[in-house]
Amino acid sequence: MKWFLQRVLAALAAVVVVALGAAVLVRVQFTGDPASWAVSDGSNALWMGHAWVDGRSGEAELEQLKPRIEQGGISDVYVHVGPLGFDGRLDPAKHPELEGFLRMFRSELPDVRVSAWVGQRVEKGELDLGEEAVRERVVEASERLVESGVDGVHYNFEPVPNNDPGLIALLESARDRLPGETLLSSSVPTVEPLAGVAFTLGLALSKDPFWSAGYLGRVAEHLDQVAVMSYDTGMPTEGLYGGFVVRQTQVAMDAVPEDVHLLMGVPAYADDHAVRNPEAETTAAALRGVRLGLSEGGQRREGFGTALYADFSATGGQWESYMDGWARPDGSQGQDG
């Protein structure tokens, strides 16, 4: 019993040391000015809600969104087509207007690629990527979506544990069976800000708070695009959050192969919950953090952009922050709200 308590206390002490060290590192990084070249190159993405494929949104809504997509340099959209069942199936009744949406969208924005956004929670009792039959149904659903006319498939499984073999197996299968021109992308969670953090925290926590950089790299090898969900971080202040995004950007650029399109997720929603302080996680802070992280690389990475979450929640102020802070920086920052 004494030995066990010593192990627990040692693990907790390690967690505290790691957390304090990481906090100091990330806050310091949110200083200085980003390089003038660290701006959008027009290869950005936007998560779009389910209303586009169930009939609630149509031409009037697209007319409002179109100039933001064009002016924002958005080259890819991920349209939510419905959650998978826990068995991996996707009911076509969840996206009855998908083909109509594709016709409408492409008539207005023919140069923007459309990926079907599919996913589900993968905790115990829900969708299990470790089961071959489940993976088979997910790939079958992906094949049907491509047959419906989408340009790609965008996976969003949460929370996938660090070093999970099931996700790798799914991506291998999808890559083998989907047509070669299909764009394959995935959302991924935040990555350890320092090497070894994921392993250390895993000793004391029941769920992995981060992926390791190595696992991110292995996942990315099977994809055309990776979108890092650099939000819902639990950071209490804007400075800590911005510094965290700087570090996320740096780590992701090192981990993701250069021939894979890397997108840093940017929050544009109002949620206030246990792992998000909306006054800290602002659109403006995220974008400045992305620009600072990109600047640290010393040169513009090809195939690098941001992914804004989301069309159905972004306010006018958040769109202004996106335009001023990334799409067309002019020295001013729009205010979220």
Side-chain angles (χ1 to χ4, degrees), residues 6 12 37 57 81 96 103 168 195 246 259 265 289 294 308 324 336-337:
Q6 288 175 334
L12 290 174
W37 50 262
S57 292
V81 295
R103 288 192 298 271
I168 297 287
V246 175
D259 61 348
L294 182 58
L308 192 70
D324 290 346
D336 293 357

Side-chain angles (χ1 to χ4, degrees), residues 255-279:
V256 174
E258 292 198 3
D259 61 348
V260 177
H261 187 189
L262 173 61
L263 299 156
M264 300 304 298
V266 173
Y269 55 96
D271 294 6
D272 185 351
H273 47 69
V275 293
R276 181 170 193 260
N277 175 3
E279 294 183 0

Side-chain angles (χ1 to χ4, degrees), residues 137-166:
R137 296 183 193 112
V138 174
V139 175
E140 289 175 353
S142 303
E143 289 177 315
R144 288 195 300 273
L145 288 165
V146 173
E147 291 171 359
S148 296
V150 297
D151 300 301
V153 177
H154 178 77
Y155 291 130
N156 177 216
F157 301 109
E158 300 180 53
V160 175
N162 186 38
N163 293 320
D164 180 67

Side-chain angles (χ1 to χ4, degrees), residues 26 29 188-194 210-211 216 228-231 233 241-255 262 264 289-290 293 304:
V26 298
Q29 290 196 310
V188 300
T190 50
V191 190
E192 56 185 359
L194 295 171
F210 303 116
W211 276 7
L216 171 60
V228 180
M229 296 181 289
S230 42
Y231 40 77
T233 64
Y241 174 63
F244 184 83
V245 174
V246 175
R247 188 60 184 159
Q248 285 293 295
T249 303
Q250 294 170 336
V251 173
M253 287 196 299
D254 288 340
L262 173 61
M264 300 304 298
V290 169
F304 179 93

